[in-house]
Amino acid sequence: LFKFDKDNISDSVIQKIQPYIENEDFTPAAIFKVSKACTSICSWVRAMHKYHFVAKAVEPKRQALN
């Protein structure tokens, strides 16, 4: 996961994980009760999901600076 290309997450991938993000049981706190190992993966998936939208919003601003 260290070499995951977070700057090029496709919209289709985001659409596929969206149901999990919206699921109340897919939170680090809820996952921790079931699997401590999966808690980190849950946190990472949620962070990449959030990063995708932040990066999309910032990109036009970044391009305007150049």
Side-chain angles (χ1 to χ4, degrees):
L1 297 180
F2 289 115
K3 295 185 180 189
F4 183 77
D5 187 8
K6 66 182 184 277
D7 293 314
N8 292 308
I9 301 171
S10 69
D11 289 333
S12 66
V13 169
I14 294 299
Q15 289 175 351
K16 288 177 184 173
I17 66 169
Q18 191 65 40
Y20 297 101
I21 298 298
E22 294 170 356
N23 187 335
E24 294 176 4
D25 294 329
F26 192 69
T27 63
I31 298 293
F32 185 78
K33 295 174 186 174
V34 180
S35 172
K36 292 177 182 157
C38 288
T39 301
S40 298
I41 294 186
C42 174
S43 296
W44 182 83
V45 169
R46 294 183 77 80
M48 291 299 101
H49 181 266
K50 184 179 279 189
Y51 180 87
H52 172 78
F53 292 104
V54 171
K56 251 183 146 171
V58 170
E59 185 59 29
K61 297 170 186 170
R62 186 180 302 161
Q63 292 296 327
L65 291 174
N66 292 332

